[in-house]
Amino acid sequence: MAYFGNNQQRGELQELFADLNDLNFEKKKEAIKKVIAYMTVGKDVSQLFQSVIKCLEFQDIEMKKLIYLYIVNYSRQKPDDAIMVIQNFRKDVRKSENPLVRALAIRTFGCLRVPKLNEYLIEPLKDCIQDDDPYVRKTAVLCVPKVFEVSPELCPALLELLQKLLEKESNALVLANLIQSMREIEVVNGKQLILMNPKIIQKLLLAIDECMEWGQIFILDYLATYDPVESKQAEIIIERTLPRLSHINPTVTFCAVKLILKYLDHLDNGDLVKNLCKKISPSLISLLSWNQPEIQYTILRNISLILQKFPILFENEVKVFFCSFNEPYYIKYEKLDIMVRICDSKNFNQVLNELMIYLNEADPHFVRKTIKSIGKIAIMYDKALSEAVQILVEFAKNVQQANEPVQELFIQMQILYRKNRNLYKTNDSLKILFNILEYANEPEAKSACAWIVGEFAEFIPKSVDKMKEYIDNFLIEDRLVQLQLLTSGVKLYIKYPSLCSALIQQLINSAKDSFNPDVRDRTYIYWRLLSTDPEIVKNLVCSVPANSSQFQKDIRLWETKDLIIALENMGSISNLFHKLPNQLYKNIKIRNNHQQEAKIYKADEKQDIPQKEQEIKKEDQNQQIQQQPKQDFDLLNFDEPVSKSNNNKIDVYDLI
């Protein structure tokens, strides 16, 4: 059976071979169609390469398209045979009167991607770049990046021709594709190739009105990388771009937004900047009205990036980002992040009320993110602290099991207590949290619970018993939990020396033999300090910070230089991942940007806040210097220390 099967396949190839060499044109055409059909389903028909090439002598466009498709597919397997096609390509490029044939030949030649063939392509490609027909010029222009990718050393002359064509070209379609081709080469090469001047800029602005949607995208995208020479030039370009903000295509609209946002830094008129921001925000909001969640997600990811530099854009549009019940959760997650960025001292009540509704959602991960967002808002605005704690305490009253939201609840309550210690009085929050401490099962949540027990031990009736439960399981806990248990245990010992003498003995005995060096080092340091002078430990461990300036209120994701680069690449795939292009693709080189600081466009706020924070930090440092004891001793010396006479002090060395 195998013999007859092979014979049947051999018979098919023989029939195709006979038809391809037949004198009848129709038989040749049908045979080529069968060859392409076999090639499409994965059958190997490379043995017919010579016979297929001979059919290029006919001037039928349909047949040429099929033959060119066959050549592109098998040229890498048979590069030596593909050289035989070069003469036919040159003949089609130079002698054919049909522009479609010339364009088809040069397009196929560029798709071969065989290095040894590229040297034969340069001269025909130069002829096509200077062709009289715009369709042929457009095809030749798109072929240059393909040649540059395989053989960049052959392209300097082609790049000079492209620059000359850019200065002379008047066809909008050719201009748009020319800009895109040169930009692709710039991305790979990392050097600026297009030499812009006012004449070229004016030509590109005129071409925007004549181009189709893809052409407009190419031109707007490139103009967004150009740095205007003066403010007047930036105003002219923005004025010609403003009509694209209401375009039906979302990509065109977004490219226009990208260009205008880039040029705002070059404007001298502050009132004009505010008016442009008012025109940009409705365009971005209209893009969110699309029913396709993929487009919404793309716009939201880029809005999250835009808000890091332009918080002023959506200061009065927070309701637009409220979540709907039927939206995908990946859309809701992005809207949560954007709501936190838009939130300010005027609308935080509105945002917190909306977030309180989200706490009843079914998805535990979304509820956890909501709780984290509430904590961020409370950290940023002191006026929102009490209301945020009330919302979280009401949520804690209904906790009945250990899940993700409960873990985040402990973490955020610890952060809020650290910001303002007096919040423990709000709605019996300490009592409610203490009743659900058993539901903490993540290391960070357990660490937060241990901190709460140690910090507010005097207000929790059974704090010592609870700490003993934690210490009994000390060796099986995570490193983060062990470190916090050490600090909290020392706090309890400072507050209740007589009750916690056995507890501190058990804690140090368990921790001093730990396999983790961080835990061991902290144990010996506390041991040494407690044996020397407990007052030092009290000042270090039980001190209450005078202010909340230690909390990070800046929620930007990017450094200044990275933010500028990310904004220049808005709309790209790298921004969906919130990464730079060179972090996502290895072959991309980023153009050097000499701008060192990104100008942040905020609403009207007082600018003396950083000075106040510096003054507060200086006061804290002075207080710490005054409180620092004058005694100086070696913490790494674990011999019996020489301590001050203190009859009321319990010696930890005697206990252990």
Side-chain angles (χ1 to χ4, degrees):
M1 294 297 293
Y3 172 80
F4 290 105
N6 289 338
N7 190 28
Q8 182 180 0
Q9 185 177 6
R10 189 181 298 116
E12 290 177 356
L13 291 179
Q14 287 177 352
E15 290 178 3
L16 290 173
F17 180 81
D19 291 343
L20 288 172
N21 291 281
D22 196 281
L23 297 177
N24 190 343
F25 173 75
E26 294 299 330
K27 280 189 176 182
K28 286 179 179 287
K29 192 171 183 180
E30 289 299 322
I32 288 177
K33 289 181 179 179
K34 290 181 181 180
V35 169
I36 298 301
Y38 286 145
M39 184 184 72
T40 305
V41 297
K43 290 185 178 181
D44 185 13
V45 287
S46 59
Q47 299 176 14
L48 304 173
F49 197 88
Q50 297 289 340
S51 300
V52 172
I53 289 174
K54 292 179 182 178
C55 299
L56 279 174
E57 298 175 357
F58 297 92
Q59 297 301 318
D60 185 71
I61 295 181
E62 184 179 358
M63 181 182 286
K64 282 185 177 292
K65 287 182 179 179
L66 295 175
I67 296 173
Y68 286 156
L69 182 63
Y70 177 88
I71 293 172
V72 169
N73 191 39
Y74 286 111
S75 60
R76 294 184 183 179
Q77 297 181 13
K78 295 179 176 292
D80 295 332
D81 293 342
I83 295 178
M84 301 174 60
V85 192
I86 293 175
Q87 195 61 32
N88 291 323
F89 276 129
R90 288 185 170 182
K91 183 178 178 181
D92 287 343
V93 169
R94 293 177 175 175
K95 297 183 179 181
S96 177
E97 297 180 358
N98 191 339
L100 294 178
V101 174
R102 298 200 300 272
L104 182 62
I106 202 66
R107 180 193 295 132
T108 306
F109 212 162
C111 292
L112 293 181
R113 304 292 180 94
V114 180
K116 62 170 63 176
L117 299 181
N118 279 343
E119 56 182 313
Y120 304 103
L121 174 63
I122 301 301
E123 293 302 324
L125 190 54
K126 289 181 180 179
D127 295 339
C128 289
I129 291 176
Q130 300 172 352
D131 197 278
D132 295 334
D133 191 273
Y135 181 72
V136 178
R137 294 200 301 274
K138 183 210 76 168
T139 307
V141 160
L142 292 175
C143 185
V144 175
K146 300 175 184 178
V147 179
F148 184 85
E149 184 180 358
V150 180
S151 305
E153 68 279 359
L154 301 176
C155 294
L158 293 177
L159 297 179
E160 293 179 3
L161 274 179
L162 292 183
Q163 181 63 33
K164 293 179 181 178
L165 182 63
L166 181 62
E167 296 174 357
K168 299 178 182 178
E169 186 60 54
S170 58
N171 187 280
L173 180 64
V174 179
L175 268 176
N177 288 277
L178 175 59
I179 288 292
Q180 181 62 16
S181 298
M182 296 188 74
R183 194 181 177 202
E184 288 181 8
I185 298 174
E186 282 184 349
V187 170
V188 177
N189 195 22
K191 298 179 181 178
Q192 185 176 358
L193 300 177
I194 303 178
L195 304 177
M196 301 292 285
N197 55 52
K199 182 180 178 181
I200 295 178
I201 293 174
Q202 184 67 22
K203 188 185 297 184
L204 293 177
L205 292 176
L206 292 174
I208 293 177
D209 298 328
E210 303 174 8
C211 285
M212 297 181 65
E213 294 175 351
W214 280 111
Q216 296 180 29
I217 293 169
F218 294 155
I219 295 175
L220 290 173
D221 208 22
Y222 185 78
L223 286 176
T225 64
Y226 171 70
D227 294 323
V229 180
E230 55 183 0
S231 176
K232 186 177 180 180
Q233 187 183 35
E235 290 181 17
I236 294 173
I237 297 176
I238 290 175
E239 184 180 356
R240 299 297 298 269
T241 309
L242 283 176
R244 299 294 172 276
L245 292 178
S246 56
H247 200 279
I248 191 172
N249 189 312
T251 310
V252 176
T253 303
F254 194 76
C255 287
V257 170
K258 173 183 173 181
L259 185 147
I260 295 173
L261 291 178
K262 166 69 180 296
Y263 285 12
L264 289 182
D265 290 341
H266 301 276
L267 297 179
D268 298 333
N269 191 343
D271 295 333
L272 179 60
V273 171
K274 292 182 179 179
N275 292 333
L276 289 173
C277 288
K278 293 178 180 178
K279 293 180 180 179
I280 292 173
S281 55
S283 299
L284 290 173
I285 292 172
S286 66
L287 295 178
L288 295 175
S289 62
W290 280 68
N291 293 327
Q292 300 178 14
E294 294 82 6
I295 294 179
Q296 292 182 4
Y297 180 74
T298 304
I299 299 301
L300 287 171
R301 290 291 282 180
N302 284 277
I303 286 177
S304 178
L305 180 66
I306 292 170
L307 285 173
Q308 296 179 49
K309 188 171 188 243
F310 301 94
I312 191 177
L313 282 181
F314 300 100
E315 58 180 348
N316 298 321
E317 303 291 347
V318 67
K319 288 185 178 180
V320 176
F321 301 99
F322 286 174
C323 302
S324 301
F325 71 95
N326 58 348
E327 288 178 334
Y329 277 108
Y330 59 87
I331 298 289
K332 293 183 178 181
Y333 298 153
E334 290 303 315
K335 286 190 173 182
L336 273 180
D337 291 338
I338 291 174
M339 275 194 285
V340 174
R341 296 184 185 280
I342 297 177
C343 183
D344 55 25
S345 57
K346 300 177 183 178
N347 59 13
F348 70 85
N349 285 317
Q350 188 179 10
V351 175
L352 287 177
N353 291 335
E354 182 69 16
L355 294 178
M356 184 171 60
I357 299 174
Y358 300 159
L359 294 177
N360 299 320
E361 285 279 344
D363 182 30
H365 186 65
F366 179 67
V367 177
R368 179 170 191 165
K369 196 170 182 64
T370 302
I371 293 174
K372 190 173 183 178
S373 301
I374 293 173
K376 286 182 179 179
I377 293 173
I379 291 298
M380 288 191 294
Y381 305 103
D382 294 338
K383 296 180 181 179
L385 265 175
S386 59
E387 187 174 348
V389 172
Q390 289 177 6
I391 294 173
L392 296 180
V393 169
E394 289 298 322
F395 176 78
K397 290 179 181 178
N398 301 322
V399 171
Q400 298 179 352
Q401 60 181 349
N403 51 21
E404 285 190 46
V406 178
Q407 313 307 313
E408 192 63 37
L409 174 67
F410 291 127
I411 297 170
Q412 295 304 319
M413 288 301 296
Q414 178 211 11
I415 295 174
L416 297 183
Y417 283 152
R418 289 178 62 192
K419 182 175 175 64
N420 188 346
R421 196 171 186 274
N422 295 325
L423 290 174
Y424 75 88
K425 303 175 184 178
T426 305
N427 295 345
D428 295 330
S429 59
L430 267 183
K431 181 180 178 181
I432 295 171
L433 285 178
F434 185 77
N435 292 333
I436 60 173
L437 287 181
E438 58 186 9
Y439 294 138
N441 52 25
E442 293 183 3
E444 196 171 353
K446 285 185 177 181
S447 175
C449 293
W451 183 89
I452 292 173
V453 172
E455 184 69 21
F456 301 102
E458 60 271 28
F459 306 109
I460 301 176
K462 298 181 180 180
S463 58
V464 178
D465 297 336
K466 191 64 181 178
M467 184 59 63
K468 191 175 186 308
E469 292 180 13
Y470 285 142
I471 294 175
D472 290 339
N473 301 320
F474 182 86
L475 294 177
I476 63 174
E477 296 291 354
D478 188 80
R479 180 189 68 88
L480 182 65
V481 182
Q482 290 179 347
L483 291 173
Q484 186 57 58
L485 284 175
L486 276 171
T487 304
S488 298
V490 171
K491 284 183 181 180
L492 279 175
Y493 175 70
I494 295 297
K495 295 176 181 178
Y496 305 109
S498 57
L499 291 177
C500 298
S501 58
L503 183 142
I504 196 69
Q505 177 182 357
Q506 179 185 357
L507 177 62
I508 293 180
N509 275 331
S510 300
K512 69 184 179 65
D513 297 326
S514 173
F515 291 104
N516 191 290
D518 295 336
V519 177
R520 289 199 309 270
D521 291 347
R522 183 173 292 193
T523 302
Y524 284 120
I525 289 173
Y526 281 148
W527 187 1
R528 177 71 177 177
L529 289 173
L530 287 172
S531 303
T532 305
D533 192 348
E535 288 297 324
I536 300 176
V537 185
K538 185 176 181 180
N539 293 333
L540 289 175
V541 177
C542 300
S543 61
V544 180
N547 61 79
S548 58
S549 60
Q550 59 180 323
F551 292 94
Q552 181 69 23
K553 296 184 179 181
D554 189 2
I555 56 176
R556 285 188 296 169
L557 300 174
W558 301 82
E559 297 293 334
T560 302
K561 293 183 179 179
D562 293 344
L563 178 60
I564 296 172
I565 296 172
L567 289 173
E568 287 183 352
N569 291 276
M570 276 195 306
S572 60
I573 296 178
S574 59
N575 277 10
L576 288 180
F577 297 97
H578 279 181
K579 292 185 177 181
L580 297 179
N582 61 332
Q583 295 174 346
L584 198 62
Y585 305 105
K586 295 181 180 179
N587 296 330
I588 290 181
K589 299 178 182 178
I590 295 180
R591 186 164 57 94
N592 292 329
N593 197 315
H594 301 290
Q595 188 174 354
Q596 296 180 354
E597 295 184 359
K599 183 179 179 181
I600 308 299
Y601 294 84
K602 295 183 179 180
D604 295 334
E605 294 179 355
K606 295 182 179 179
Q607 300 296 327
D608 56 347
I609 294 178
Q611 297 179 358
K612 291 184 177 180
E613 291 182 355
Q614 292 177 1
E615 293 176 359
I616 293 173
K617 287 182 181 179
K618 289 182 180 179
E619 292 179 0
D620 294 341
Q621 292 175 359
N622 294 333
Q623 291 179 1
Q624 291 177 1
I625 293 173
Q626 293 176 0
Q627 293 176 359
Q628 185 177 359
K630 296 181 180 180
Q631 183 182 5
D632 188 15
F633 51 85
D634 186 5
L635 294 178
L636 298 179
N637 183 10
F638 291 101
D639 296 333
E640 184 72 20
V642 179
S643 59
K644 297 180 181 179
S645 59
N646 191 348
N647 297 329
N648 297 327
K649 184 185 69 173
I650 299 176
D651 194 346
V652 183
Y653 275 91
D654 296 337
L655 288 175
I656 301 176

